[in-house]
Amino acid sequence: MEVESARMIGAGLAMFALAGVGLGIGLIFSSLINSIARNPSAREQIFPVGILGFALTEAVALFALLIAFLILFK
């Protein structure tokens, strides 16, 4: 019973990373929209950087989910 409780607590703690990921993705896209609204001609240069930031931030979320599943089902 104690080991199962520790697994649940560990998986829950691993999910705290998703709060940071959600905040990061929101900041990335708000900055992207704000910068394109200020200078629409720079869209071709700014948009790929925003998508790269999104992909790297989303990778952290997938890693946290993987860790949580490993804790739960091992």
Side-chain angles (χ1 to χ4, degrees):
M1 186 67 176
E2 294 172 1
V3 174
E4 188 65 27
S5 299
R7 282 184 178 174
M8 294 294 175
I9 291 171
L13 289 175
M15 290 293 102
F16 275 118
L18 295 182
V21 168
L23 181 65
I25 289 174
L27 289 174
I28 287 170
F29 281 114
S30 70
S31 297
L32 181 68
I33 290 170
N34 191 17
S35 62
I36 290 174
R38 287 178 183 256
N39 189 2
S41 63
R43 182 189 183 279
E44 291 79 23
Q45 296 170 345
I46 296 171
F47 190 73
V49 175
I51 295 301
L52 178 66
F54 167 74
L56 293 175
T57 307
E58 191 67 27
V60 173
L62 292 175
F63 181 69
L65 186 64
L66 173 75
I67 295 300
F69 281 153
L70 283 175
I71 290 171
L72 282 177
F73 299 116
K74 186 173 181 192

